């Protein structure tokens, strides 16, 4: 067996981890979550969520990858015999995510082109739905492919493949660009936003603290959900990346750096987004709440583009800056998912890594074509909701149970403390074994109860028909689970309890 690949420097690893964590969600999810859940006061539950769940979990994933020197499946099989399938869950879930994440990247790619002529003119929402997606009437009508999306998709997958074609060596080189570049772009957008008239109203909307919100459980659940999502946990990415660290490597400090860089990017993004929204409200003589929309793809593809076309000068430049930022934020999150999948397959079967990369990208591309149809957005929406609200939370819960109870967090701590710059105390064990399982379990139960209540009332997510929810939600999750169990049961020379290498 060949020697395991290694990051060329510590910075390469840290940048790759930040690159995976800092994705589209930092730009379009965090700012809105803060604005809607108490503004500046939201930072309190957010920090508490970081300390009680986010940081212990990312340290755990780094430590697992480093200690067991393998991607998630083999790593979990070494933690506890029979638990390999948990690792495969992270891999199959990653596969589901990358198939639609790449389609969002396709739209972003298209918009790099449209930016050159601010092609959305004064009807950005209509442009997005009619010209780009050519949206069909509902999930039951796929309606053939949207040509612009297909072209974007080919380019996006080409870019993803190019970035990881030589494994961690090429990733190390790419993240030197794709991590600082969006931060620079963001800096430009923040300065532009804050020097516009009305910006201060936007910032007020973003951060004006409302401490009464802290009494609402929903706000706390949002904080925990966001922390879990933003750190790219439970997809096997951090495990795979840490498995390429050399023997003598810091764990805890690397995790702290990753977390603070990632969350700093989120916090900064709020100023760019809401500063600009403040300006849009000012020019339209409206309230910020009336123009800001709800974040998500709406922010990226119609609300922000509309605001940009209202700028006094340089609309083309600022659109380009915005979409380059989104592209560079997203691409390293996208290829980190491929890296996680490839690590899982190569570690188990010892296949040639380059071939597995090529094959994974090819299969990923083919499946992502579903979302490039005219009805694709509906399916993307359903799959995204169910894999995140149920799949990822459940996987995270199993992870902490495996480490906190079966393996014992104190044992893992006595592994990473001696090699790390920051030594963790017993609080880590309490978080992993007690607090994080309670929080993740609580969120999962809450989501399931919500789902049942909605079903009883005959209301389904997004107003979609029941059969679409069953296919894109429950059937998809069932396939993920069954595939993972099967993959975990297959024997290979690497999972018979011996160490690879
Ligand atoms: N962290 C990413 C973001 O904030 C989203 C994400 C969640 C992700 N899980 C992931 C990205 C796994 C890559 C891999 O946008």
């Amino acid at each position: 067996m060949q020697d395991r690949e290694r990051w060329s420097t510590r910075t390469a690893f840290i940048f790759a981890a930040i690159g995976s964590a800092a994705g589209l969600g930092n730009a379009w999810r965090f700012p809105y979550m803060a604005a809607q859940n108490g503004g500046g006061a939201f930072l309190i539950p957010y920090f508490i969520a970081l300390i009680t769940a986010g940081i212990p979990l990312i340290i755990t994933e780094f430590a697992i990858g480093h200690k067991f020197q393998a991607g998630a499946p083999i790593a979990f099989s070494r933690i506890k015999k029979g638990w390999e399938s948990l690792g495969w869950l992270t891999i199959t879930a990653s596969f589901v995510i990358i198939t639609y994440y790449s389609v969002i990247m396709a739209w972003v790619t298209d918009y790099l082109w449209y930016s050159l002529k601010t092609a959305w003119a004064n009807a950005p929402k209509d442009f997005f739905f009619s010209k780009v997606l050519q949206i069909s009437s509902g999930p039951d009508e796929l309606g053939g492919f949207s040509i612009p999306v297909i072209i974007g998709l080919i380019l996006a997958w080409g870019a993803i493949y190019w970035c990881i074609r030589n494994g961690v060596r090429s990733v190390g080189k790419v993240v030197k660009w794709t991590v600082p570049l969006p931060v620079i772009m963001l800096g430009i957008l923040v300065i532009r936003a804050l020097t516009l008239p009305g910006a201060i109203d936007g910032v007020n909307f973003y951060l004006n603290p409302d401490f009464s919100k802290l009494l609402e459980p929903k706000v706390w659940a949002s904080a925990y959900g966001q922390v879990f999502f933003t750190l790219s946990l439970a997809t096997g990415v951090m495990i795979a990346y840490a498995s390429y660290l050399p023997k003598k490597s810091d764990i805890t400090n690397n995790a702290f750096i990753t977390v603070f860089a990632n969350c700093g990017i989120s916090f900064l993004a709020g100023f760019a987004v809401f500063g600009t929204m403040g300006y849009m409200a000012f020019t339209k003589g409206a309230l910020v709440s009336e123009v800001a929309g709800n974040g998500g793809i709406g922010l990226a593809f119609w609300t922000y583009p509309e605001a940009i076309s209202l700028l006094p000068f340089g609309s083309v430049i600022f659109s380009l800056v915005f979409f380059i930022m989104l592209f560079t934020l997203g691409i390293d999150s996208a290829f980190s998912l491929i890296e996680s999948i490839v690590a899982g397959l190569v570690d188990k079967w010892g296949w040639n890594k380059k071939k597995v990369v090529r094959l994974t990208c090819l299969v990923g591309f083919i499946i992502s074509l579903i979302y490039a149809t005219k009805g694709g957005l509906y399916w993307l929406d359903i799959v995204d909701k169910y894999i995140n609200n149920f799949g990822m939370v459940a996987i995270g819960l199993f992870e902490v149970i495996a480490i906190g109870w079966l393996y014992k967090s104190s044992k893992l701590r006595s592994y990473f403390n001696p090699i790390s710059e920051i030594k963790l105390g017993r609080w880590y064990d309490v978080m992993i074994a007690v607090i994080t399982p309670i929080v993740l379990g609580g969120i999962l139960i809450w989501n399931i109860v919500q789902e049942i209540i909605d079903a009883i009332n005959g209301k389904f997510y997004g107003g979609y028909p029941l059969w679409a929810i069953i296919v894109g939600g429950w059937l998809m999750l069932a396939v993920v689970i069954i595939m993972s169990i099967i993959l975990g049961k297959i024997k290979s020379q690497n999972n018979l309890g011996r160490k690879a290498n």
Side-chain angles (χ1 to χ4, degrees):
M1 170 144 289
Q2 332 103 288
D3 278 344
R4 197 165 187 79
E5 293 177 89
R6 298 290 165 201
W7 298 105
S8 55
T9 60
R10 177 176 177 179
T11 320
F13 166 73
I14 293 176
F15 271 30
I18 297 172
S20 174
L24 301 168
N26 297 55
W28 77 31
R29 204 164 183 264
F30 175 83
Y32 283 83
M33 200 156 261
Q36 288 157 6
N37 291 300
F42 180 70
L43 296 177
I44 296 171
Y46 188 74
F47 266 105
I48 293 177
L50 277 178
I51 291 165
T52 57
I55 293 172
L57 265 170
I58 194 170
I59 289 174
T60 304
E61 292 204 352
F62 280 181
I64 293 174
H66 187 247
K67 174 159 198 313
F68 298 103
Q69 290 289 300
I74 297 297
F76 276 103
S77 78
R78 289 180 187 158
I79 286 171
K80 187 88 192 161
K81 228 176 144 23
W83 277 65
E84 188 185 322
S85 291
L86 175 57
W88 287 108
L89 272 178
T90 71
I91 306 287
T92 42
S94 293
F95 190 77
V96 171
I97 296 177
I98 188 60
T99 52
Y100 69 79
Y101 206 84
S102 58
V103 178
I104 301 175
M105 291 302 291
W107 305 338
V108 173
T109 311
D110 286 345
Y111 271 73
L112 286 168
W113 168 252
Y114 297 138
S115 291
L116 298 174
K117 292 190 289 194
T118 45
W120 49 86
N122 42 26
K125 189 167 178 178
D126 193 46
F127 179 80
F128 178 68
F129 283 109
S130 313
K131 290 277 163 21
V132 185
L133 302 190
Q134 302 162 17
I135 192 91
S136 72
S137 60
D140 52 338
E141 187 197 346
L142 290 181
F145 293 112
S146 153
I147 299 302
V149 177
I150 292 273
I151 296 172
L153 197 59
I154 292 170
L155 295 173
W157 274 106
I160 292 169
Y161 172 69
W162 187 82
C163 292
I164 50 162
R165 69 198 185 288
N166 290 324
V168 298
R169 252 186 317 127
S170 54
V171 166
K173 285 183 199 142
V174 168
V175 291
K176 269 189 212 150
W177 295 95
T178 57
V179 174
L181 206 59
V183 178
I184 295 169
M185 300 289 132
L186 184 56
I188 295 172
L189 295 177
V190 169
I191 293 170
R192 173 66 289 199
L194 296 184
T195 50
L196 288 165
I200 190 71
D201 297 327
V203 173
N204 251 327
F205 182 77
Y206 172 36
L207 288 180
N208 187 26
D210 176 0
F211 289 98
S212 67
K213 288 262 184 193
L214 300 188
L215 297 173
E216 293 177 21
K218 188 185 126 264
V219 171
W220 289 84
S222 301
Y224 276 92
Q226 173 62 12
V227 158
F228 189 71
F229 177 84
T230 193
L231 296 178
S232 302
L233 296 167
T235 41
V237 170
M238 296 305 177
I239 297 177
Y241 274 0
S243 75
Y244 302 122
L245 279 169
K247 264 280 152 236
K248 270 197 146 105
S249 295
D250 166 88
I251 300 292
T252 54
N253 202 14
N254 283 349
F256 277 101
I257 295 169
T258 306
V259 168
F260 288 116
N262 170 65
C263 298
I265 292 173
S266 295
F267 185 64
L268 203 58
F271 290 93
V273 169
F274 286 112
T276 312
M277 292 305 131
Y279 169 73
M280 181 144 78
F282 172 84
T283 50
K284 290 183 160 183
L287 290 174
V288 179
S289 58
E290 290 165 348
V291 299
N294 293 315
I297 61 170
L299 174 78
F301 300 107
W302 61 88
T303 314
Y304 201 87
E306 180 183 1
I308 286 179
S309 26
L310 299 173
L311 289 179
F313 65 90
S315 292
V316 171
I317 299 292
F318 289 110
S319 322
L320 274 175
V321 168
F322 178 67
F323 286 107
I324 291 172
M325 176 186 82
L326 289 186
F327 188 84
T328 49
L329 270 180
I331 188 95
D332 32 28
S333 300
F335 64 65
S336 71
L337 289 164
I338 300 287
E339 190 56 53
S340 165
I341 298 165
V342 169
L345 295 172
V346 169
D347 288 342
K348 177 147 179 177
W349 282 285
W351 292 329
N352 178 304
K353 186 165 174 181
K354 285 196 173 178
K355 283 190 193 147
V356 177
V357 169
R358 253 177 263 153
L359 198 70
T360 309
C361 288
L362 188 68
V363 176
F365 169 71
I366 292 170
I367 297 194
S368 66
L369 288 172
I370 299 170
Y371 306 103
T373 56
K374 294 174 183 173
L377 176 65
Y378 304 116
W379 291 102
L380 191 157
D381 190 24
I382 297 171
V383 171
D384 176 60
K385 148 105 182 177
Y386 282 81
I387 195 81
N388 280 304
N389 282 11
F390 300 99
M392 306 316 293
V393 181
I395 295 172
L397 179 61
F398 283 125
E399 258 185 30
V400 285
I401 291 172
I403 295 298
W405 295 91
L406 300 175
Y407 185 79
K408 295 282 185 273
S409 38
S410 51
K411 194 162 140 205
L412 194 66
R413 187 159 59 93
S414 58
Y415 169 74
F416 64 68
N417 261 346
I419 51 175
S420 293
E421 288 154 13
I422 299 173
K423 318 281 180 212
L424 301 190
R426 284 213 46 206
W427 67 273
Y428 167 82
D429 306 338
V430 178
M431 296 307 157
I432 289 297
V434 185
I435 306 292
T436 318
I438 290 177
V439 169
L440 290 177
I443 293 179
L444 189 62
I445 292 171
W446 169 265
N447 288 344
I448 292 173
V449 169
Q450 245 12 69
E451 187 73 11
I452 294 172
I453 294 176
D454 284 354
I456 291 172
N457 294 332
K459 271 196 326 179
F460 300 104
Y461 170 69
Y464 297 113
L466 175 62
W467 70 271
I469 297 288
I470 290 177
V471 173
W474 300 114
L475 197 63
M476 177 274 297
L477 288 174
V479 170
V480 162
I481 293 168
I482 293 166
M483 290 261 306
S484 305
I485 293 173
I486 294 174
L487 284 163
K489 293 287 170 231
I490 301 173
K491 293 271 173 282
S492 78
Q493 75 270 33
N494 285 339
N495 69 342
L496 298 176
R498 286 182 295 104
K499 237 173 112 38
N501 290 340

